[in-house]
Amino acid sequence: MRIKLNLLIISFAILISICFSFNLEQAKASENLKFVNKYGIEITESDYNRLISLGFEDEQIQNMNAEEYDINKEMYGETINVLKQYVKTTYLYDQTPPIDKSVKDKSVKSSKSMLVEENEPELVDEKVEYLSKEEFEQQLKYDTQNQLGKNKINNSIALSPDEGTDSTSYKIITVKLTKIASKEWKVSTTLEWKKVPATRSKDIISAAIRYPDDFVINHTKRYGSQYYESTGVNAKQQSKTYNELITYGANSGNWLNEGYEGDGLVQNLRNNFYDAGYNYKVTYFKNYMYFYFNLDVKSYSHSNVQVSGSYVHQINTSPFSVSDISLTYGAPSITIGKNDEEKFDTPIYARAYVPY
């Protein structure tokens, strides 16, 4: 009798286990699928909300490949702080007339390798202005309308950089700091060019941590990208567009690996190019990078965790030494070696913090 009772109990336990497993699989299968992204990754509603909590935007989730998805797998953000700075930079160059030339672009792995460049004018002066959102939009609109007038006279449809003796760029720098857990954070820096610069070479996008002795950067959990849009015109004045997303994985050779205070990416900005009968002018850039970092001390004596996101633009195409670049939370946030200082403009920055 006791044996039969034990067998009955075991059979009942097995039945309960099977039913539970079946219901669990059914629940997983019935979870709402939000979309399948560009790289074939199935993003469910809960997965989408999880990635949003980490500070990602819809566009970034749509373009997330398997490597980046795995970096951020099974992680949840608790608190996010975002700060934007609206920056206008005016460059005054010498009055040497531009000379067109065509060369091969060896820095970008793309089928569209033929680019169109201009000679490098000498920078005479520079002015950096941090504007309110309203001031930024008003001045950008005014300059854009003036540029449209120039393009109409020159029979061109693309919004190209200013030409002649001065050039004005409009850019928005955004830093996001996300608290992941009690001892882990994620910082991202985004630079959005609303009006692209005349000179495009190797720029640096980065982030640094305040009180770096208390933290350690996880160099295996980092990622970056450069997105650009371009408009091409052929001899018949027909136009077409071409957009591309260039990515930088955790093991990319473009990372600075700059010690313990921060990290950053060297990104070669896409230049104008020629392809299949069309002259393309790049009209928009969006540069992006992020990394995770962890607390490395038993006791943290500050009430907030603070970061500074920074960006510096190279104003000529001369080579420079990456080993002489350093990152700090304070000003200047990106320090260039003395031999290379004149090759870059003034670094711009934005700062964010979250309560510890």
Side-chain angles (χ1 to χ4, degrees):
M1 183 68 180
R2 181 175 296 178
I3 294 175
K4 288 182 179 180
L5 182 61
N6 288 339
L7 288 173
L8 183 63
I9 293 173
I10 292 171
S11 299
F12 183 74
I14 292 173
L15 181 63
I16 292 294
S17 177
I18 292 173
C19 291
F20 178 78
S21 299
F22 176 77
N23 290 333
L24 183 62
E25 292 300 320
Q26 196 173 39
K28 288 181 178 179
S30 64
E31 186 175 2
N32 291 333
L33 179 67
K34 190 170 183 68
F35 56 79
V36 178
N37 80 355
K38 179 182 176 181
Y39 291 92
I41 299 175
E42 295 184 351
I43 305 295
T44 63
E45 288 281 357
S46 60
D47 211 21
Y48 180 84
N49 293 332
R50 180 184 65 80
L51 291 169
I52 291 293
S53 78
L54 291 173
F56 291 102
E57 298 175 0
D58 180 87
E59 178 187 16
Q60 293 168 330
I61 300 172
Q62 292 277 3
N63 289 285
M64 186 175 287
N65 62 20
E67 178 186 358
E68 186 177 14
Y69 182 81
D70 288 342
I71 289 174
N72 298 279
K73 199 172 185 178
E74 298 178 357
M75 304 190 71
Y76 295 85
E78 295 181 3
T79 308
I80 296 180
N81 181 243
V82 182
L83 182 66
K84 292 180 182 286
Q85 293 274 35
Y86 299 85
V87 186
K88 174 185 177 182
T89 306
T90 304
Y91 308 96
L92 180 64
Y93 294 99
D94 65 13
Q95 299 188 27
T96 303
I99 301 173
D100 290 339
K101 59 183 178 178
S102 295
V103 298
K104 288 284 185 179
D105 180 5
K106 299 178 181 179
S107 62
V108 179
K109 295 180 179 179
S110 170
S111 60
K112 301 186 179 297
S113 58
M114 184 67 76
L115 59 88
V116 179
E117 293 183 334
E118 295 176 349
N119 72 317
E120 293 182 357
E122 181 184 352
L123 184 64
V124 177
D125 198 7
E126 171 198 3
K127 182 180 180 181
V128 180
E129 301 173 80
Y130 288 84
L131 307 174
S132 68
K133 182 180 179 181
E134 293 73 20
E135 292 171 332
F136 182 88
E137 291 175 346
Q138 288 173 0
Q139 294 187 34
L140 175 60
K141 182 179 179 181
Y142 175 79
D143 279 6
T144 300
Q145 289 173 342
N146 283 349
Q147 188 63 49
L148 283 170
K150 292 179 183 179
N151 289 339
K152 187 175 181 180
I153 293 172
N154 296 325
N155 200 25
S156 171
I157 65 166
L159 280 178
S160 60
D162 290 343
E163 304 200 4
T165 59
D166 69 313
S167 174
T168 306
S169 66
Y170 288 82
K171 44 194 179 289
I172 304 172
I173 184 169
T174 304
V175 62
K176 286 184 182 181
L177 180 59
T178 307
K179 184 177 181 180
I180 308 301
S182 60
K183 296 183 179 181
E184 186 172 18
W185 297 263
K186 170 178 171 275
V187 57
S188 68
T189 303
T190 304
L191 197 288
E192 185 177 6
W193 291 88
K194 290 297 187 179
K195 192 175 186 183
V196 300
T199 301
R200 277 159 265 162
S201 190
K202 294 181 178 180
D203 288 8
I204 301 167
I205 185 169
S206 67
I209 311 165
R210 193 174 190 184
Y211 312 119
D213 291 338
D214 293 342
F215 301 94
V216 60
I217 296 171
N218 189 338
H219 294 293
T220 66
K221 294 173 68 174
R222 59 185 181 180
Y223 208 78
S225 65
Q226 174 192 167
Y227 172 75
Y228 72 86
E229 298 175 355
S230 62
T231 301
V233 180
N234 64 11
K236 297 179 180 180
Q237 293 303 303
Q238 297 170 322
S239 64
K240 64 190 304 185
T241 60
Y242 179 77
N243 309 325
E244 184 179 14
L245 180 70
I246 303 168
T247 59
Y248 308 84
N251 296 320
S252 170
N254 290 60
W255 289 98
L256 292 179
N257 294 316
E258 199 287 314
Y260 70 100
E261 293 196 38
D263 205 351
L265 267 174
V266 177
Q267 297 185 339
N268 196 336
L269 296 188
R270 188 66 162 106
N271 218 316
N272 298 337
F273 57 92
Y274 175 85
D275 182 73
Y278 284 80
N279 281 303
Y280 286 88
K281 285 189 175 182
V282 177
T283 58
Y284 176 81
F285 284 109
K286 192 171 187 178
N287 306 84
Y288 176 67
M289 62 77 64
Y290 66 85
F291 61 80
Y292 285 83
F293 61 98
N294 301 81
L295 193 68
D296 197 37
V297 291
K298 292 183 179 179
S299 177
Y300 184 67
S301 59
H302 308 281
S303 58
N304 297 313
V305 175
Q306 304 172 61
V307 294
S308 177
S310 303
Y311 193 93
V312 65
H313 170 62
Q314 188 177 4
I315 55 178
N316 59 44
T317 58
S318 301
F320 62 90
S321 176
V322 175
S323 61
D324 291 335
I325 298 171
S326 61
L327 307 174
T328 58
Y329 175 85
S333 49
I334 302 177
T335 302
I336 310 296
K338 289 185 177 180
N339 294 330
D340 297 322
E341 287 178 342
E342 294 183 356
K343 300 173 184 177
F344 292 86
D345 66 3
T346 303
I348 62 172
Y349 67 91
R351 291 174 177 165
Y353 70 92
V354 294
Y356 174 68

